[in-house]
Amino acid sequence: MAFTPLHDRVLVRRVEGDEKTKGGLIIPDSAKEKPAEGEVVAVGAGVKDEDGDRIAMDVKAGDKILFGKWSGTEITLDGEELLIMKESDILGIIA
């Protein structure tokens, strides 16, 4: 994929959740919530501070992250649905 986000933006692929509840019930697609967990595909170079120096990004490609439910903008690249969001929309990195 030839796409690089600009500044402090991050390209994220959603990680699909379980299709069954703990009790074994299967959840239909219409009742599923969009997962708030994903994998970082690409990151921008970071924003510049007032002096013109780049502020390094805290996340890198391959990190598993947790983000807000309504974060980011949905896009389709090479037939795959992805999200573009600012680094500040990411709640944390999953170890």
Side-chain angles (χ1 to χ4, degrees):
M1 177 180 320
F3 182 83
T4 304
L6 297 176
H7 309 295
D8 65 336
R9 288 185 174 74
V10 179
L11 187 64
V12 177
R13 177 183 301 118
R14 285 187 194 264
V15 176
E16 293 301 321
D18 293 334
E19 295 185 7
K20 289 185 180 181
T21 63
K22 290 181 182 179
L25 297 174
I26 297 174
I27 303 170
D29 288 339
S30 60
K32 284 186 193 173
E33 288 189 16
K34 290 187 177 180
E37 195 174 310
E39 179 183 353
V40 177
V41 177
V43 296
V47 296
K48 291 186 178 182
D49 62 11
E50 293 175 4
D51 298 327
D53 299 325
R54 284 244 184 242
I55 300 172
M57 300 282 280
D58 291 328
V59 295
K60 60 187 179 304
D63 283 349
K64 300 264 188 218
I65 60 166
L66 195 63
F67 52 86
K69 190 173 187 176
W70 304 108
S71 299
T73 302
E74 293 183 357
I75 63 164
T76 303
L77 281 176
D78 297 336
E80 184 178 12
E81 288 189 14
L82 301 166
L83 288 169
I84 294 180
M85 65 181 69
K86 287 190 163 250
E87 186 182 34
S88 60
D89 290 339
I90 297 173
L91 303 175
I93 299 171
I94 301 170

